Amino acid sequence: MRLSVLASAFLSVTAVFAAELGIKTTKEVECKRKTVKGDTVHMHYRGTLASDGSQFDASYDRGTPLTFKLGTGRVIKGWDQGLLDMCIGEKRTLTIPPEYGYGDRGIGPIPGGSTLIFETELVGIDGVSKDEL
């Protein structure tokens, strides 16, 4: 019985680590005003599958950043959390496990259960003046 309790605890801890959101800053920028929940942000991005590196979407290809309200559930959870506290011009790579992405359901070219890699760049925050940068 003791072994099954230990094995169960190990599996629970492993599941917690597996669901961790990875955030790596690839270009640092100093600023006074960073992104906060509720900001309308303008993000350039490139999304690839961790499994094979294939690109499934990129705003860079369209030449237009994606605009959305941060932290309000309008994008996947990995973006709502991973894009907080950014400065305009900052770049991050987000490694998003399924729990913070699309889960077990597939969407378009993204298979269910996929870990996603996003190269992101904050290009603007609505209402933030140059004095606040």
Side-chain angles (χ1 to χ4, degrees):
M1 184 70 157
R2 183 172 172 87
L3 180 58
S4 64
V5 170
L6 290 175
S8 176
F10 175 76
L11 291 175
S12 295
V13 169
T14 302
V16 169
F17 286 116
E20 194 168 307
L21 174 65
I23 303 170
K24 179 182 176 188
T25 301
T26 57
K27 179 184 176 190
E28 288 191 41
V29 175
E30 294 294 322
C31 67
K32 296 176 190 173
R33 172 63 161 80
K34 297 182 178 193
T35 56
V36 295
K37 184 177 178 178
D39 278 341
T40 296
V41 297
H42 305 267
M43 300 295 306
H44 261 309
Y45 67 92
R46 177 172 292 104
T48 58
L49 298 175
S51 60
D52 64 6
S54 63
Q55 180 177 300
F56 56 83
D57 192 16
S59 67
Y60 292 108
D61 294 348
R62 292 186 292 280
T64 304
L66 178 66
T67 300
F68 61 95
K69 191 173 260 193
L70 185 60
T72 60
R74 296 192 178 160
V75 292
I76 59 176
K77 186 176 179 181
W79 274 40
D80 270 343
Q81 292 180 13
L83 301 176
L84 290 169
D85 297 319
M86 284 184 80
C87 294
I88 293 173
E90 184 177 332
K91 294 182 180 184
R92 290 183 181 173
T93 299
L94 305 178
T95 302
I96 302 177
E99 297 85 350
Y100 289 82
Y102 296 104
D104 290 332
R105 63 183 164 87
I107 184 165
I110 302 170
S114 293
T115 296
L116 311 174
I117 308 293
F118 282 97
E119 298 168 25
T120 65
E121 176 183 5
L122 179 63
V123 295
I125 305 170
D126 281 2
V128 174
S129 70
K130 291 188 187 257
D131 295 339
E132 294 178 90
L133 301 176

